[in-house]
Amino acid sequence: MAQVDFKNVSKRFADVNAVVHDFSLCVPDGELLVLLGPSGCGKSTTLRLLAGLEQPTDGEILLDGQVVNDWSPQRRNVAMVFQNYALYPHMSVRQNLAFPLRMRRQPRVEIAAKVDETARLLELGALLERKPAQLSGGQRQRVAMGRALVRDPAVFLMDEPLSNLDAKLRVQLRGEIARLQQRLGTTTLYVTHDQTEAMTLGHRVAVMQAGVLQQLGSPQELYDRPSNLFVAGFLGSPPMNLFEAKVQRDAQGAFVSFGTARVPLPTALGADAPAYLGLRPEALRHDDPEGVLPDVTLTVLSVEPLGYEQIVYLTAPLAPVASAPETEAEVKNSVAARLPADYPLSAGESITLGIDVDKVRYFDRNGEALG
Amino acid sequence: MLKRISLIVLLTLTALCYLAPVALMIIGSLKPDARVLAEAGSWLAFVPEGATLDNYRDVFARVPFERYLLSSLWINAAIVLLGLLVNSFAGYALARLRWPGRKAVLAVVIALLVIPFEAIAVPLFYQLSALGWRDDHAVQIIPFVANPLAIYLFYSFFLALPRELEEAARIDGAGVLRTFFTVIVPNSKPVFATVAIVTLLFYWGIYLWPLLMTTGDHARPLPLAIAMFHTLPPLQWGDIFAFGAMMVVPVLVLFVVLQRWFVRGVATAGIRE
């Protein structure tokens, strides 16, 4: 059990710019914190810095208030689960589980007891004499978990532990990891590029991009109030619809036109003029019979039925944000709406939707959230 | 099908061509001396009629064969075992550890690959003679322990091992040396077998260096001894064949034992995923 602190940590490799830049973060004892970001954003490097596999160029890393920058990995008492599991191929499952204890020179009897206990916890009992090559992906993943938790580490580090598994197994093991962490209460840092994993597992989620921490908060906070355009465009499937906003004024105050809809700016914005406007797909509503919401009529471009709901792509009435990440051109020039499935639609149709103005988010010229 | 059969025939004939001298040597070593030369030009050379071990007894009677054999075994065992240790350390340091000058050293190692031993034999001889160091076993061992080819084979093999294995071991609490011996070595059997065989095959037959360095029987290895034996009158081909057979058999046995690993090592050296 331990608290983890990063204080202004930077990491530069000889040949490139900073991989991690001025990174500060406090993970309280017992928390499961997810580091989320696209590949190459520095999240794995952050984990490796904490593990002691990399040395920070600047800043301090603390475990329970002690600076551990100069500590070797073995001294830090952290355990890590690797993406490719990194099981020792020449050792049986039993030997793999016992390895961290053997390295710490624990008595044989204790090692045997701990290995059996861990095997029971992870239901590995029947596999103890097998070699890693004789295990399925999910079983290997479990052994890797077992090897990490067999020695009661201060901190668990997980580097994309589920990304080599198929979708179904991933969901199952995701649940197991969450239950296990809750039961053991071990501080855990979990790296992933999968936002579903991040949202379902993390007590808090730290979103990273280009080595910089973008936002830290609960999954719901991140989703509801993204702190900048990157987080807004990264989280959610489909992500937030982002557009250039032209502020206009009339007798009733400042507003933004979204097609035919007049979207009033919240007074909380004060004098700040937003440059961008963001709209979650569920902020476009078809269930507005009283017509209290400003409404807009748009043409359907395409429909993605998901069974319980449908994602509808509509013509965008405003210019899209040029820098919106990871979106295809067609999606980029459209606005996505999440609608109930009992509302059959096809391409070319027109549809009138209400805009839930409370759910509209605004961003300034630099992409930072307003209000 | 026809193509397959003709291929098999062709390969068999080729194999026979290569095996013939070895067979001739072994069969000849079992024949009375007079018949070895008399039958050499005919198929009779391959017929071990009236086999006898007289020639083998002769070798032991005429020269201290067991001493040459022990010298060779001792020199080669030391070169191979010390070499595995030293060169695997060097290969690992080059492949995995970060230290200043690493790239320069790697370049030098690769450059040394192309320098044949014969080119440096004479300078080395003068150097060691100046130190007064010659005519013992150590002088036939020490110069050959560090070997650029072995370092390079280890280097490229270790480079292809998944780095996470070592990182997992370090996090699990193993230091650099323990990581090396408990995780790297057990997963690198093919390259250790390859280096062992390549080294042994080369130094088991080395002739020039012992010729320069040894003067008497006491540190003389087999390749030099057989050359001396050849010139020792009376010239008896049966005895020479017996000597040669005894010289070849130990390496042959070791090769058969290790060849499973050797083949895999050659196949995987440097081109692993």
Side-chain angles (χ1 to χ4, degrees), chain A residues 48 78 87-88 90 104 151, chain B residues 165 167 169 171-172 182 186-187:
Chain A
R48 293 167 60 83
V78 298
L87 300 177
Y88 308 121
H90 60 296
R104 282 173 167 70
R151 62 186 162 93
Chain B
L165 273 186
E167 294 179 342
I171 289 175
D172 281 346
T182 54
N187 286 300

Side-chain angles (χ1 to χ4, degrees), chain A residues 116-308:
Chain A
D116 285 338
E117 187 193 324
T118 307
R120 233 190 338 271
L121 186 69
L122 291 164
E123 293 166 31
L124 293 168
L127 309 172
L128 280 174
E129 306 313 324
R130 293 208 198 159
K131 293 273 175 70
Q134 298 165 294
L135 302 176
S136 71
Q139 290 169 335
R140 285 180 208 182
Q141 212 285 330
R142 267 210 191 83
V143 177
M145 293 275 302
R147 193 178 61 185
L149 59 84
V150 71
R151 62 186 162 93
D152 301 321
V155 182
F156 269 141
L157 306 176
M158 303 199 187
D159 192 359
E160 311 234 4
L162 303 180
S163 58
N164 282 1
L165 303 173
D166 65 57
K168 204 173 158 188
L169 205 53
R170 214 179 300 164
V171 174
Q172 186 195 332
L173 283 170
R174 200 168 74 199
E176 279 182 31
I177 289 176
R179 282 190 291 279
L180 209 57
Q181 199 274 338
Q182 197 164 28
R183 184 163 148 193
L184 301 171
T186 309
T187 314
T188 304
L189 269 78
Y190 187 108
V191 161
T192 184
H193 64 269
D194 180 325
Q195 48 168 308
T196 317
E197 258 171 49
M199 302 295 268
T200 51
L201 274 175
H203 300 162
R204 286 191 302 162
V205 177
V207 181
M208 289 183 76
Q209 152 74 348
V212 178
L213 179 62
Q214 303 289 320
Q215 188 174 4
L216 173 68
S218 73
Q220 201 61 49
E221 278 166 26
L222 259 56
Y223 190 79
D224 290 341
R225 312 196 71 83
S227 68
N228 59 33
L229 282 181
F230 175 79
V231 178
F234 187 72
L235 279 183
S237 177
M240 189 178 265
N241 299 295
L242 297 167
F243 302 101
E244 309 245 0
K246 281 207 178 62
V247 179
Q248 295 165 286
R249 282 172 204 283
D250 61 13
Q252 294 164 51
F255 69 97
V256 174
S257 291
F258 190 77
T260 52
R262 179 187 181 282
V263 182
L265 289 190
T267 47
L269 287 190
D272 297 330
Y276 304 102
L277 161 158
L279 211 55
R280 286 279 176 210
E282 50 275 15
L284 288 161
R285 318 252 307 249
H286 85 298
D287 53 349
D288 180 32
E290 294 98 48
V292 288
L293 301 178
D295 55 39
V296 59
T297 302
L298 301 168
T299 309
V300 175
L301 291 171
S302 63
V303 181
E304 288 176 354
L306 295 172
Y308 54 98

Side-chain angles (χ1 to χ4, degrees), chain B residues 11-29 31 36 39-48 241 245 248 252:
Chain B
L11 287 175
T12 310
L13 285 175
T14 315
L16 284 177
C17 287
Y18 281 99
L19 283 174
V22 182
L24 193 69
M25 175 181 76
I26 292 172
I27 294 163
S29 74
K31 287 181 187 174
V36 176
E39 294 169 356
S42 73
W43 291 108
L44 286 175
F46 293 102
V47 182
F241 282 176
V248 166
L252 216 56

